[in-house]
Amino acid sequence: MSDDILLVEDRDHVRHLTLNRPEVRNALNRDLNDRLVDAIIDADHTPDVHAIAITGAGSAFCSGADLKDARDLAAAGKPFYGPLHNNRRSLMEVMIDSRKPTLAIVNGAAMAGGFELALSCDMRVAAEGAVFGVPEAKRARGAHFASVLLPVTVPPGIAMEWLYTGRRIAAAELERWGLLNRLVPADQLQAAAMALLDDVVASAPLSLQRLKLTYRKTAGMPPHAAIRLDTGPDVYLSEDQKEGARAFLERREPRWQGR
């Protein structure tokens, strides 16, 4: 395994991002956080990248923020500023602003900020042994993103139980509440993720961006207002729209140009 804390590989129109700090269960320190932000923004501006996949090296997906940072600041008598009070863009903000479809490939524990990272993705595939949780209340922290997203994603009572207790949540429980697209044995995780990604990137890349941006930009809007919001590339005037019609009528696979 490389010494690089974030492994980046573009393959078959997918940017694969692997958190590579297995010795600390892929905890997010400032360097890894910033590297992820840069890689996601760069993927947004790379035409040949149509989707983004995130996973973790070793036995964990991501254990959340590296608490050594908070401890070291406290020891130095300095405050620890949360996500709304520092000079960096939030990783979760960048994730939900991304124009490209995102998939979390959850190979193991996804705790605290690691759970939030998985939640910020559009889709999630998990191994049966994976566990999740938002234990911030037990660490005197905030779970800011999860506090916003979970109560509008699962029934509020369930979300608040998870947030208030910080208990470990089995992958099967997440599947029951509709938070997982696939739940598979660990030895089938990569195959299931690749099959889903292959299906996604077989779609027109501009359509993927428009669908993603429409979903994200209209969140919380009344439907009658949301349907008037014209966001993302105008696929109806694209060359790919013409190609899609031709390919369908000619009974062949389309050859997308991304324009």
Side-chain angles (χ1 to χ4, degrees), residues 2-22:
S2 167
D3 291 333
D4 200 344
I5 61 172
L6 180 69
L7 305 181
V8 181
E9 181 185 7
D10 291 349
R11 186 173 71 249
D12 299 327
H13 299 297
V14 177
R15 173 152 297 180
H16 294 267
L17 303 176
T18 302
L19 283 60
N20 190 32
R21 302 184 73 213

Side-chain angles (χ1 to χ4, degrees), residues 11 19 30 67 86 88 105 109 127 136 154 197 204 215 259:
R11 186 173 71 249
L19 283 60
R30 180 165 185 166
L67 295 183
N86 61 58
R88 294 174 294 149
I105 306 173
E136 278 85 346
V154 301
L197 286 166
Y215 154 53
R259 58 184 179 88

